Amino acid sequence: MSFAHLGLSQKVLDAVTAAGYSAPTPIQDQAIPHVLARRDVLGIAQTGTGKTAAFVLPMLTTLEQGRARARMPRTLILEPTRELAAQVEESFIKYGKNHKLNVALLIGGVSFGNQDTKLTRGVDVLIATPGRLLDHTERGGLLLTGVELLVIDEADRMLDMGFIPDIERICKLVPFTRQTLFFTATMPPEIRRITEQFLHNPVKVEVSRPATTVEAITQGLVKSGREPHDKREVLRRLIRQAEGLKNAIVFCNRKRDVATLHRSLLRHKFSAVALHGDMDQSSRMTALDQFRKGDVTVLVASDVAARGLDIPDVSHVFNFDVPHHPDDYVHRIGRTGRAGRTGTAITIVTSADHKAVAAIEKLIGRSIAWLGAPPADDPAEDDRPSEPVRMGTRAPRRGRDTRRDGTVADVGGRSEPSGGRTDAGGRAGRGPRAKTAPANVMPLETARKRPPRDDAPDDIENYLPAFLLRPVRVKA
DNA sequence: AAAAAAC
Protein backbone atom coordinates (compact mmCIF):
# COMPACT_ATOMS: atom_id res chain seq x y z
CA MET A 1 0.00 0.00 0.00
CA SER A 2 1.28 3.41 -0.88
CA PHE A 3 0.02 6.96 -1.23
CA ALA A 4 0.41 6.78 -4.99
CA HIS A 5 -2.99 5.25 -5.80
CA LEU A 6 -5.06 7.71 -3.79
CA GLY A 7 -5.15 10.40 -6.44
CA LEU A 8 -2.99 12.97 -4.71
CA SER A 9 -0.94 15.40 -6.79
CA GLN A 10 2.78 14.94 -7.35
CA LYS A 11 3.61 17.98 -5.23
CA VAL A 12 1.77 16.45 -2.30
CA LEU A 13 3.27 13.00 -2.83
CA ASP A 14 6.75 14.52 -2.88
CA ALA A 15 6.11 16.31 0.41
CA VAL A 16 4.76 13.13 1.98
CA THR A 17 7.85 11.23 0.91
CA ALA A 18 10.08 14.02 2.19
CA ALA A 19 8.28 13.82 5.53
CA GLY A 20 9.23 10.16 5.68
CA TYR A 21 5.84 8.52 5.19
CA SER A 22 5.37 5.68 2.78
CA ALA A 23 2.06 4.05 3.66
CA PRO A 24 -1.29 5.73 4.37
CA THR A 25 -3.13 4.96 7.61
CA PRO A 26 -6.59 3.37 7.29
CA ILE A 27 -8.41 6.68 7.63
CA GLN A 28 -6.18 8.31 5.02
CA ASP A 29 -6.66 5.37 2.70
CA GLN A 30 -10.42 5.47 3.04
CA ALA A 31 -11.08 9.20 3.19
CA ILE A 32 -8.65 10.79 0.71
CA PRO A 33 -10.26 9.50 -2.54
CA HIS A 34 -13.67 10.75 -1.38
CA VAL A 35 -12.33 14.15 -0.38
CA LEU A 36 -10.72 14.46 -3.80
CA ALA A 37 -14.03 13.45 -5.40
CA ARG A 38 -15.56 16.40 -3.54
CA ARG A 39 -17.85 14.25 -1.42
CA ASP A 40 -18.87 15.18 2.11
CA VAL A 41 -17.13 12.94 4.60
CA LEU A 42 -18.14 11.88 8.08
CA GLY A 43 -14.98 10.60 9.66
CA ILE A 44 -15.24 8.74 12.93
CA ALA A 45 -11.71 8.64 14.17
CA GLN A 46 -9.53 9.75 17.01
CA THR A 47 -6.30 11.60 16.94
CA GLY A 48 -3.39 9.30 16.46
CA THR A 49 -5.10 7.68 13.48
CA GLY A 50 -3.59 10.05 10.94
CA LYS A 51 -6.83 12.02 10.74
CA THR A 52 -5.22 15.41 10.14
CA ALA A 53 -3.29 14.29 7.06
CA ALA A 54 -6.49 12.63 5.84
CA PHE A 55 -7.88 16.08 5.13
CA VAL A 56 -4.71 18.16 4.75
CA LEU A 57 -3.28 16.11 1.86
CA PRO A 58 -6.34 16.10 -0.40
CA MET A 59 -7.03 19.74 0.42
CA LEU A 60 -3.58 20.68 -0.83
CA THR A 61 -4.21 18.81 -4.06
CA THR A 62 -7.60 20.45 -4.54
CA LEU A 63 -6.27 23.93 -3.79
CA GLU A 64 -3.73 23.74 -6.58
CA GLN A 65 -6.50 24.96 -8.85
CA GLY A 66 -7.75 28.46 -8.29
CA ARG A 67 -6.64 31.48 -6.32
CA ALA A 68 -7.64 33.16 -3.09
CA ARG A 69 -9.37 36.52 -3.06
CA ALA A 70 -8.96 39.19 -0.41
CA ARG A 71 -10.89 38.53 2.80
CA MET A 72 -12.53 35.47 1.25
CA PRO A 73 -10.79 32.29 2.35
CA ARG A 74 -11.24 29.29 0.10
CA THR A 75 -11.25 26.70 2.85
CA LEU A 76 -11.98 26.81 6.54
CA ILE A 77 -10.92 24.42 9.29
CA LEU A 78 -12.46 24.66 12.76
CA GLU A 79 -10.61 23.33 15.78
CA PRO A 80 -11.66 23.32 19.44
CA THR A 81 -8.40 24.50 20.97
CA ARG A 82 -5.64 26.86 19.95
CA GLU A 83 -3.01 24.16 20.20
CA LEU A 84 -4.88 21.89 17.82
CA ALA A 85 -5.35 24.76 15.39
CA ALA A 86 -1.63 25.48 15.48
CA GLN A 87 -0.91 21.79 14.98
CA VAL A 88 -3.01 21.70 11.83
CA GLU A 89 -1.21 24.79 10.55
CA GLU A 90 2.09 22.99 11.02
CA SER A 91 0.74 20.09 9.06
CA PHE A 92 -0.09 22.42 6.16
CA ILE A 93 3.39 23.90 6.32
CA LYS A 94 4.97 20.45 6.32
CA TYR A 95 2.97 18.94 3.48
CA GLY A 96 2.50 22.21 1.60
CA LYS A 97 6.17 22.97 1.21
CA ASN A 98 5.94 22.55 -2.55
CA HIS A 99 2.90 24.81 -2.78
CA LYS A 100 2.58 28.55 -2.64
CA LEU A 101 -0.53 28.62 -0.52
CA ASN A 102 -1.46 31.23 2.05
CA VAL A 103 -2.36 29.68 5.36
CA ALA A 104 -3.74 31.80 8.20
CA LEU A 105 -4.33 30.87 11.81
CA LEU A 106 -7.15 32.69 13.58
CA ILE A 107 -6.97 31.95 17.28
CA GLY A 108 -7.53 33.97 20.41
CA GLY A 109 -4.81 35.29 22.63
CA VAL A 110 -2.78 36.80 19.82
CA SER A 111 -3.08 40.19 18.16
CA PHE A 112 -5.73 40.92 15.57
CA GLY A 113 -3.44 43.01 13.40
CA ASN A 114 -1.35 40.27 11.85
CA GLN A 115 -4.36 38.05 11.32
CA ASP A 116 -6.17 40.87 9.58
CA THR A 117 -3.23 41.64 7.30
CA LYS A 118 -3.12 38.01 6.22
CA LEU A 119 -6.85 37.92 5.56
CA THR A 120 -6.60 41.02 3.39
CA ARG A 121 -3.92 39.39 1.28
CA GLY A 122 -6.23 36.44 0.67
CA VAL A 123 -5.89 33.02 2.24
CA ASP A 124 -6.29 29.56 0.78
CA VAL A 125 -6.53 27.83 4.12
CA LEU A 126 -8.01 29.41 7.21
CA ILE A 127 -7.59 27.50 10.46
CA ALA A 128 -9.54 28.85 13.39
CA THR A 129 -11.03 28.42 16.81
CA PRO A 130 -14.71 29.45 16.78
CA GLY A 131 -14.54 32.49 19.05
CA ARG A 132 -11.89 34.40 17.19
CA LEU A 133 -13.36 33.47 13.82
CA LEU A 134 -16.75 34.92 14.72
CA ASP A 135 -15.01 37.97 16.11
CA HIS A 136 -13.41 38.58 12.72
CA THR A 137 -16.64 38.04 10.80
CA GLU A 138 -18.50 40.42 13.09
CA ARG A 139 -15.89 43.09 12.53
CA GLY A 140 -16.41 42.68 8.82
CA GLY A 141 -12.82 41.78 8.05
CA LEU A 142 -13.73 38.31 6.93
CA LEU A 143 -16.24 36.93 4.46
CA LEU A 144 -17.07 33.25 4.51
CA THR A 145 -19.09 33.35 1.30
CA GLY A 146 -16.17 32.03 -0.74
CA VAL A 147 -15.53 28.93 1.33
CA GLU A 148 -15.47 25.85 -0.91
CA LEU A 149 -14.56 23.37 1.78
CA LEU A 150 -15.30 23.33 5.49
CA VAL A 151 -13.61 21.03 7.99
CA ILE A 152 -15.11 20.53 11.42
CA ASP A 153 -12.56 18.68 13.48
CA GLU A 154 -12.99 17.08 16.92
CA ALA A 155 -16.72 17.76 16.77
CA ASP A 156 -17.55 15.82 19.91
CA ARG A 157 -15.06 17.85 21.81
CA MET A 158 -16.59 21.04 20.45
CA LEU A 159 -19.84 19.74 21.86
CA ASP A 160 -18.28 19.14 25.28
CA MET A 161 -16.94 22.65 25.22
CA GLY A 162 -20.26 24.23 24.32
CA PHE A 163 -19.16 25.32 20.84
CA ILE A 164 -22.01 23.78 18.93
CA PRO A 165 -24.08 27.00 18.74
CA ASP A 166 -21.00 28.78 17.36
CA ILE A 167 -20.47 25.99 14.85
CA GLU A 168 -24.08 26.25 13.73
CA ARG A 169 -23.68 30.00 13.25
CA ILE A 170 -20.52 29.52 11.23
CA CYS A 171 -22.12 26.81 9.09
CA LYS A 172 -24.82 29.29 8.16
CA LEU A 173 -22.20 31.82 7.04
CA VAL A 174 -20.54 29.50 4.53
CA PRO A 175 -22.20 28.64 1.19
CA PHE A 176 -24.69 25.80 1.14
CA THR A 177 -22.84 24.28 -1.79
CA ARG A 178 -19.55 23.83 0.01
CA GLN A 179 -17.96 20.47 0.67
CA THR A 180 -17.93 19.48 4.35
CA LEU A 181 -15.54 17.17 6.16
CA PHE A 182 -16.67 16.31 9.64
CA PHE A 183 -14.54 14.48 12.17
CA THR A 184 -15.57 13.15 15.53
CA ALA A 185 -14.34 10.41 17.84
CA THR A 186 -17.80 9.52 19.12
CA MET A 187 -21.39 9.89 17.92
CA PRO A 188 -23.59 11.24 20.71
CA PRO A 189 -27.16 12.17 19.64
CA GLU A 190 -26.39 15.88 19.43
CA ILE A 191 -23.51 15.22 17.04
CA ARG A 192 -25.68 12.93 14.96
CA ARG A 193 -28.23 15.75 14.66
CA ILE A 194 -25.54 18.18 13.50
CA THR A 195 -24.25 15.77 10.86
CA GLU A 196 -27.77 15.32 9.51
CA GLN A 197 -28.17 19.06 9.36
CA PHE A 198 -24.86 20.05 7.80
CA LEU A 199 -23.62 17.12 5.73
CA HIS A 200 -25.03 16.23 2.34
CA ASN A 201 -25.06 12.57 1.54
CA PRO A 202 -21.79 11.97 3.35
CA VAL A 203 -19.47 9.06 2.96
CA LYS A 204 -19.00 7.51 6.36
CA VAL A 205 -15.46 6.53 7.16
CA GLU A 206 -14.86 4.81 10.44
CA VAL A 207 -11.63 3.53 11.86
CA SER A 208 -11.22 1.63 15.06
CA ARG A 209 -9.72 3.52 17.90
CA PRO A 210 -5.98 3.12 18.07
CA ALA A 211 -4.73 0.72 20.70
CA THR A 212 -5.09 3.02 23.63
CA THR A 213 -6.17 1.46 26.86
CA VAL A 214 -5.34 -2.06 25.89
CA GLU A 215 -1.95 -3.50 25.05
CA ALA A 216 0.13 -0.48 24.27
CA ILE A 217 -0.27 1.20 27.63
CA THR A 218 0.65 -0.26 30.99
CA GLN A 219 -1.71 1.23 33.52
CA GLY A 220 -1.48 1.41 37.27
CA LEU A 221 -2.89 3.03 40.36
CA VAL A 222 -0.86 4.33 43.27
CA LYS A 223 -2.22 5.25 46.69
CA SER A 224 -1.50 8.62 48.19
CA GLY A 225 -2.58 10.74 51.11
CA ARG A 226 -5.18 13.35 50.28
CA GLU A 227 -3.07 16.41 50.90
CA PRO A 228 -1.48 18.07 47.90
CA HIS A 229 1.97 17.79 49.39
CA ASP A 230 1.48 14.04 49.86
CA LYS A 231 0.54 13.74 46.24
CA ARG A 232 3.47 15.84 45.12
CA GLU A 233 5.83 13.64 47.05
CA VAL A 234 4.34 10.49 45.55
CA LEU A 235 4.62 12.04 42.11
CA ARG A 236 8.27 12.94 42.53
CA ARG A 237 9.05 9.39 43.53
CA LEU A 238 7.10 8.02 40.62
CA ILE A 239 8.99 10.22 38.19
CA ARG A 240 12.39 9.48 39.70
CA GLN A 241 11.80 5.75 39.82
CA ALA A 242 9.94 5.32 36.56
CA GLU A 243 11.52 2.78 34.28
CA GLY A 244 12.50 4.04 30.87
CA LEU A 245 11.09 7.48 31.44
CA LYS A 246 11.91 9.61 28.46
CA ASN A 247 9.36 12.31 29.08
CA ALA A 248 6.05 12.58 30.88
CA ILE A 249 2.80 14.49 30.91
CA VAL A 250 1.33 15.10 34.35
CA PHE A 251 -2.37 15.92 34.34
CA CYS A 252 -4.12 17.96 37.01
CA ASN A 253 -7.83 18.65 37.17
CA ARG A 254 -7.48 22.35 37.85
CA LYS A 255 -5.47 25.11 36.28
CA ARG A 256 -4.24 26.51 39.53
CA ASP A 257 -3.03 23.08 40.57
CA VAL A 258 -1.10 22.88 37.32
CA ALA A 259 0.63 26.13 38.23
CA THR A 260 1.33 25.04 41.81
CA LEU A 261 2.64 21.62 40.86
CA HIS A 262 4.78 23.09 38.12
CA ARG A 263 6.50 25.43 40.54
CA SER A 264 6.93 22.65 43.07
CA LEU A 265 8.61 20.44 40.47
CA LEU A 266 10.93 23.24 39.43
CA ARG A 267 11.86 23.80 43.03
CA HIS A 268 12.74 20.15 43.24
CA LYS A 269 14.97 20.54 40.21
CA PHE A 270 12.78 18.74 37.73
CA SER A 271 12.86 19.86 34.14
CA ALA A 272 9.24 20.91 33.73
CA VAL A 273 6.90 23.26 31.91
CA ALA A 274 3.23 24.02 32.47
CA LEU A 275 0.35 24.18 30.03
CA HIS A 276 -3.17 25.38 30.78
CA GLY A 277 -5.74 27.70 29.35
CA ASP A 278 -5.10 30.66 31.61
CA MET A 279 -1.55 31.05 30.41
CA ASP A 280 -0.88 33.60 27.74
CA GLN A 281 -0.69 32.22 24.26
CA SER A 282 3.03 32.63 23.71
CA SER A 283 3.80 30.79 26.95
CA ARG A 284 1.48 28.00 25.88
CA MET A 285 3.25 27.70 22.57
CA THR A 286 6.72 27.85 24.09
CA ALA A 287 5.88 25.26 26.71
CA LEU A 288 4.52 22.81 24.18
CA ASP A 289 7.43 23.45 21.89
CA GLN A 290 10.03 22.81 24.57
CA PHE A 291 8.30 19.60 25.53
CA ARG A 292 7.95 18.42 21.95
CA LYS A 293 11.59 19.11 21.20
CA GLY A 294 12.68 17.25 24.31
CA ASP A 295 14.19 20.31 25.96
CA VAL A 296 12.13 19.58 29.05
CA THR A 297 11.12 16.23 30.48
CA VAL A 298 7.83 16.94 32.22
CA LEU A 299 4.76 18.72 30.95
CA VAL A 300 2.31 19.61 33.71
CA ALA A 301 -1.04 20.19 32.06
CA SER A 302 -4.76 20.63 32.43
CA ASP A 303 -7.12 18.76 30.14
CA VAL A 304 -6.32 21.27 27.42
CA ALA A 305 -3.58 18.76 26.60
CA ALA A 306 -5.71 15.65 27.10
CA ARG A 307 -7.14 15.32 23.64
CA GLY A 308 -5.80 15.58 20.19
CA LEU A 309 -2.37 16.95 20.91
CA ASP A 310 0.10 15.09 18.83
CA ILE A 311 3.25 14.43 20.75
CA PRO A 312 4.31 11.11 19.31
CA ASP A 313 6.80 9.93 21.82
CA VAL A 314 5.52 10.40 25.37
CA SER A 315 6.77 7.54 27.53
CA HIS A 316 4.73 8.25 30.67
CA VAL A 317 1.45 9.83 31.68
CA PHE A 318 0.80 10.58 35.32
CA ASN A 319 -2.60 11.56 36.59
CA PHE A 320 -1.85 13.78 39.54
CA ASP A 321 -5.62 13.96 39.98
CA VAL A 322 -8.11 11.29 39.00
CA PRO A 323 -10.13 12.89 36.19
CA HIS A 324 -13.72 13.66 37.09
CA HIS A 325 -15.05 12.27 33.88
CA PRO A 326 -13.99 8.77 32.87
CA ASP A 327 -13.73 9.80 29.21
CA ASP A 328 -10.99 12.20 30.16
CA TYR A 329 -8.99 9.33 31.58
CA VAL A 330 -9.01 7.55 28.25
CA HIS A 331 -7.98 10.71 26.43
CA ARG A 332 -5.23 11.51 28.91
CA ILE A 333 -3.57 8.13 28.87
CA GLY A 334 -3.94 8.10 25.09
CA ARG A 335 -1.12 10.70 25.01
CA THR A 336 1.25 7.80 25.53
CA GLY A 337 1.55 4.45 23.79
CA ARG A 338 1.28 6.19 20.42
CA ALA A 339 2.72 5.43 17.02
CA GLY A 340 3.41 1.81 17.77
CA ARG A 341 5.32 2.54 20.95
CA THR A 342 4.50 1.40 24.43
CA GLY A 343 3.67 3.69 27.30
CA THR A 344 2.97 3.79 30.98
CA ALA A 345 0.08 5.59 32.64
CA ILE A 346 0.00 5.87 36.42
CA THR A 347 -2.80 7.47 38.38
CA ILE A 348 -2.40 8.83 41.90
CA VAL A 349 -5.44 7.86 43.93
CA THR A 350 -6.54 9.21 47.30
CA SER A 351 -9.32 8.04 49.55
CA ALA A 352 -11.61 10.60 47.92
CA ASP A 353 -11.17 9.12 44.45
CA HIS A 354 -12.49 5.58 44.67
CA LYS A 355 -15.80 6.32 43.01
CA ALA A 356 -14.08 8.05 40.12
CA VAL A 357 -11.69 5.12 39.71
CA ALA A 358 -14.60 2.68 39.69
CA ALA A 359 -16.27 4.73 36.94
CA ILE A 360 -13.09 4.62 34.88
CA GLU A 361 -12.71 0.87 35.32
CA LYS A 362 -16.30 0.42 34.27
CA LEU A 363 -15.75 2.51 31.14
CA ILE A 364 -12.60 0.73 30.04
CA GLY A 365 -14.07 -2.62 30.99
CA ARG A 366 -11.22 -3.82 33.13
CA SER A 367 -9.70 -3.16 36.49
CA ILE A 368 -6.46 -1.25 36.83
CA ALA A 369 -3.74 -2.82 38.93
CA TRP A 370 -2.68 -1.26 42.20
CA LEU A 371 1.01 -0.67 42.31
CA GLY A 372 2.82 -0.52 45.62
CA ALA A 373 3.58 2.94 46.89
CA PRO A 374 6.98 3.99 45.61
CA PRO A 375 9.54 3.86 48.42
CA ALA A 376 11.26 7.04 49.47
CA ASP A 377 14.28 7.27 47.24
CA ASP A 378 16.06 9.67 49.50
CA PRO A 379 15.62 9.60 53.27
CA ALA A 380 15.98 13.37 53.28
CA GLU A 381 13.21 13.58 50.77
CA ASP A 382 10.27 15.52 52.00
CA ASP A 383 8.28 18.36 50.67
CA ARG A 384 10.31 21.14 52.17
CA PRO A 385 12.26 23.54 50.02
CA SER A 386 15.49 22.10 48.77
CA GLU A 387 17.30 25.19 49.95
CA PRO A 388 16.57 27.53 52.82
CA VAL A 389 13.75 29.88 52.05
CA ARG A 390 15.02 33.37 51.66
CA MET A 391 12.34 35.91 52.09
CA GLY A 392 12.67 38.86 49.79
CA THR A 393 13.05 42.36 51.11
CA ARG A 394 9.32 42.68 50.78
CA ALA A 395 6.95 40.24 52.34
CA PRO A 396 5.00 38.33 49.70
CA ARG A 397 1.93 40.28 48.78
CA ARG A 398 -1.22 38.44 49.68
CA GLY A 399 -3.24 39.73 46.81
CA ARG A 400 -5.94 38.04 44.83
CA ASP A 401 -3.48 35.88 42.97
CA THR A 402 -1.26 35.01 45.87
CA ARG A 403 -2.09 32.18 48.15
CA ARG A 404 -1.19 31.40 51.70
CA ASP A 405 1.81 29.39 50.69
CA GLY A 406 3.28 32.40 48.97
CA THR A 407 2.92 30.96 45.50
CA VAL A 408 1.30 32.94 42.75
CA ALA A 409 -1.81 31.54 41.14
CA ASP A 410 -0.46 31.68 37.62
CA VAL A 411 2.96 32.49 36.35
CA GLY A 412 2.10 31.94 32.75
CA GLY A 413 4.35 28.96 32.46
CA ARG A 414 7.52 30.88 33.03
CA SER A 415 10.13 29.04 34.96
CA GLU A 416 10.64 30.65 38.30
CA PRO A 417 13.89 29.94 40.03
CA SER A 418 13.56 28.34 43.38
CA GLY A 419 14.94 31.08 45.56
CA GLY A 420 12.83 33.76 47.10
CA ARG A 421 9.58 31.92 47.32
CA THR A 422 8.22 29.77 50.02
CA ASP A 423 7.49 26.19 49.19
CA ALA A 424 4.07 25.46 47.84
CA GLY A 425 3.84 22.30 49.87
CA GLY A 426 6.01 23.31 52.78
CA ARG A 427 3.16 24.01 55.11
CA ALA A 428 0.12 23.08 53.17
CA GLY A 429 -2.13 20.84 55.18
CA ARG A 430 0.36 19.90 57.82
CA GLY A 431 -2.19 20.51 60.51
CA PRO A 432 -2.28 23.33 63.01
CA ARG A 433 0.94 25.14 63.65
CA ALA A 434 1.84 26.86 66.90
CA LYS A 435 -0.19 30.00 67.08
CA THR A 436 1.27 33.27 68.07
CA ALA A 437 -1.80 35.39 68.28
CA PRO A 438 -1.44 39.12 68.38
CA ALA A 439 -2.22 40.41 71.87
CA ASN A 440 -5.49 42.04 70.95
CA VAL A 441 -7.15 39.11 69.26
CA MET A 442 -8.62 35.94 70.54
CA PRO A 443 -7.81 32.62 68.91
CA LEU A 444 -10.71 31.47 66.83
CA GLU A 445 -10.75 27.99 68.27
CA THR A 446 -11.24 29.41 71.70
CA ALA A 447 -14.17 31.32 70.41
CA ARG A 448 -15.81 28.43 68.68
CA LYS A 449 -15.75 24.78 69.61
CA ARG A 450 -14.45 23.73 66.24
CA PRO A 451 -10.99 22.42 65.48
CA PRO A 452 -8.99 24.53 63.07
CA ARG A 453 -9.26 23.41 59.51
CA ASP A 454 -6.23 21.67 58.16
CA ASP A 455 -5.94 24.13 55.38
CA ALA A 456 -6.82 27.18 57.44
CA PRO A 457 -4.70 30.25 56.95
CA ASP A 458 -1.83 30.46 59.36
CA ASP A 459 -1.96 34.10 60.17
CA ILE A 460 -4.39 36.82 61.10
CA GLU A 461 -7.24 35.21 59.23
CA ASN A 462 -7.32 32.46 61.77
CA TYR A 463 -8.16 34.80 64.58
CA LEU A 464 -11.29 36.60 65.43
CA PRO A 465 -10.91 40.02 67.01
CA ALA A 466 -12.42 39.95 70.49
CA PHE A 467 -14.87 42.77 69.83
CA LEU A 468 -16.63 40.64 67.27
CA LEU A 469 -17.44 38.15 69.97
CA ARG A 470 -19.25 40.61 72.20
CA PRO A 471 -22.98 40.11 72.20
CA VAL A 472 -24.75 42.51 69.91
CA ARG A 473 -28.24 43.72 70.53
CA VAL A 474 -30.37 43.75 67.47
CA LYS A 475 -33.67 45.59 67.60
CA ALA A 476 -36.53 43.51 66.36
C1' DA B 1 -16.69 19.47 39.13
C1' DA B 2 -13.45 21.42 35.64
C1' DA B 3 -11.61 22.81 31.45
C1' DA B 4 -11.82 25.00 26.99
C1' DA B 5 -12.90 29.47 23.96
C1' DA B 6 -13.56 36.29 22.26
C1' DC B 7 -12.49 41.18 23.04
Side-chain angles (χ1 to χ4, degrees):
Chain A
M1 284 279 250
S2 79
F3 282 97
H5 70 284
L6 296 175
L8 295 166
S9 67
Q10 196 56 47
K11 281 183 186 175
V12 173
L13 291 175
D14 290 346
V16 169
T17 309
Y21 294 102
S22 53
T25 66
I27 183 121
Q28 292 161 5
D29 195 53
Q30 291 173 60
I32 288 172
H34 295 299
V35 179
L36 290 170
R38 311 310 301 261
R39 290 285 302 272
D40 280 6
V41 172
L42 168 57
I44 303 173
Q46 315 207 316
T47 330
T49 54
K51 166 170 69 83
T52 305
F55 60 83
V56 170
L57 302 181
M59 279 176 73
L60 285 167
T61 295
T62 306
L63 286 164
E64 285 171 21
Q65 259 97 61
R67 274 202 65 188
R69 284 190 284 162
R71 300 193 178 279
M72 291 179 66
R74 300 170 67 195
T75 63
L76 171 62
I77 299 168
L78 296 173
E79 294 288 335
T81 67
R82 299 171 186 173
E83 274 72 22
L84 285 174
Q87 198 169 281
V88 171
E89 186 195 31
E90 270 162 39
S91 190
F92 269 100
I93 292 166
K94 181 163 72 173
Y95 299 118
K97 62 179 202 136
N98 302 320
H99 296 70
K100 288 196 201 81
L101 294 173
N102 295 325
V103 179
L105 187 61
L106 291 195
I107 59 173
V110 293
S111 82
F112 258 84
N114 293 340
Q115 296 179 349
D116 213 52
T117 315
K118 274 196 171 174
L119 289 175
T120 312
R121 278 207 300 262
V123 296
D124 299 285
V125 181
L126 186 59
I127 305 156
T129 46
R132 182 56 73 95
L133 181 87
L134 286 169
D135 208 340
H136 276 278
T137 57
E138 279 156 16
R139 287 170 191 230
L142 172 62
L143 277 170
L144 298 181
T145 50
V147 171
E148 302 155 25
L149 182 145
L150 170 68
V151 180
I152 299 167
D153 197 14
E154 303 269 336
D156 50 349
R157 187 163 185 211
M158 302 244 202
L159 174 71
D160 288 347
M161 289 165 64
F163 283 170
I164 294 302
D166 285 349
I167 298 302
E168 294 185 284
R169 277 178 66 200
I170 294 164
C171 282
K172 285 169 186 157
L173 294 172
V174 300
F176 184 73
T177 52
R178 87 222 165 222
Q179 180 183 9
T180 307
L181 313 179
F182 189 101
F183 293 93
T184 182
T186 57
M187 269 300 219
E190 183 71 356
I191 293 292
R192 189 174 302 280
R193 181 182 72 76
I194 297 284
T195 61
E196 282 159 12
Q197 193 178 350
F198 293 115
L199 295 175
H200 305 302
N201 187 26
V203 182
K204 192 170 166 188
V205 172
E206 189 164 3
V207 298
S208 57
R209 59 170 50 201
T212 41
T213 70
V214 223
E215 309 86 28
I217 304 172
T218 308
Q219 300 173 63
L221 305 173
V222 167
K223 265 197 181 62
S224 164
R226 287 172 81 142
E227 298 300 335
H229 81 265
D230 294 329
K231 295 171 79 172
R232 285 194 289 266
E233 188 169 334
V234 169
L235 176 72
R236 288 196 298 275
R237 291 177 188 172
L238 286 171
I239 296 175
R240 290 199 180 111
Q241 295 166 24
E243 252 177 68
L245 186 138
K246 179 179 170 287
N247 55 6
I249 304 180
V250 180
F251 284 103
C252 300
N253 285 354
R254 282 177 298 236
K255 291 180 279 199
R256 47 164 246 257
D257 294 340
V258 170
T260 308
L261 178 59
H262 173 227
R263 280 188 303 274
S264 168
L265 287 171
L266 290 180
R267 238 179 342 258
H268 284 88
K269 311 287 187 241
F270 286 90
S271 155
V273 285
L275 181 68
H276 63 75
D278 276 356
M279 287 164 51
D280 68 74
Q281 193 53 31
S282 69
S283 309
R284 282 168 69 163
M285 296 275 193
T286 323
L288 196 52
D289 225 52
Q290 288 177 298
F291 185 68
R292 276 211 178 102
K293 285 198 302 215
D295 296 345
V296 293
T297 311
V298 179
L299 176 70
V300 189
S302 68
D303 279 315
V304 70
R307 303 200 204 185
L309 277 195
D310 188 31
I311 305 162
D313 203 6
V314 178
S315 71
H316 286 68
V317 165
F318 297 103
N319 287 313
F320 185 75
D321 300 308
V322 180
H324 291 121
H325 200 285
D327 276 355
D328 291 330
Y329 176 84
V330 178
H331 289 293
R332 287 181 181 185
I333 72 165
R335 297 310 97 203
T336 186
R338 294 162 62 78
R341 298 185 175 88
T342 56
T344 305
I346 298 177
T347 300
I348 298 175
V349 181
T350 74
S351 55
D353 300 324
H354 291 292
K355 267 168 105 173
V357 171
I360 289 165
E361 291 180 323
K362 190 177 168 211
L363 177 81
I364 65 175
R366 62 206 286 263
S367 64
I368 309 170
W370 283 97
L371 311 175
D377 35 17
D378 172 3
E381 160 81 5
D382 66 10
D383 204 54
R384 283 162 208 286
S386 46
E387 46 192 80
V389 175
R390 285 178 287 108
M391 296 307 281
T393 42
R394 285 185 297 168
R397 192 175 55 86
R398 284 289 310 277
R400 182 165 51 95
D401 296 325
T402 315
R403 287 184 296 278
R404 163 177 48 97
D405 57 15
T407 59
V408 178
D410 179 27
V411 291
R414 250 174 282 279
S415 304
E416 286 287 340
S418 53
R421 288 177 189 272
T422 50
D423 190 311
R427 282 293 315 164
R430 288 261 169 109
R433 118 191 323 187
K435 306 283 188 233
T436 44
N440 60 338
V441 299
M442 178 185 286
L444 180 61
E445 51 268 57
T446 316
R448 298 195 213 140
K449 288 204 175 90
R450 185 154 60 88
R453 282 165 45 206
D454 245 358
D455 57 351
D458 297 318
D459 42 32
I460 188 74
E461 291 161 52
N462 213 19
Y463 300 94
L464 199 58
F467 73 87
L468 287 178
L469 299 169
R470 286 188 209 119
V472 177
R473 268 178 218 289
V474 182
K475 283 189 180 159

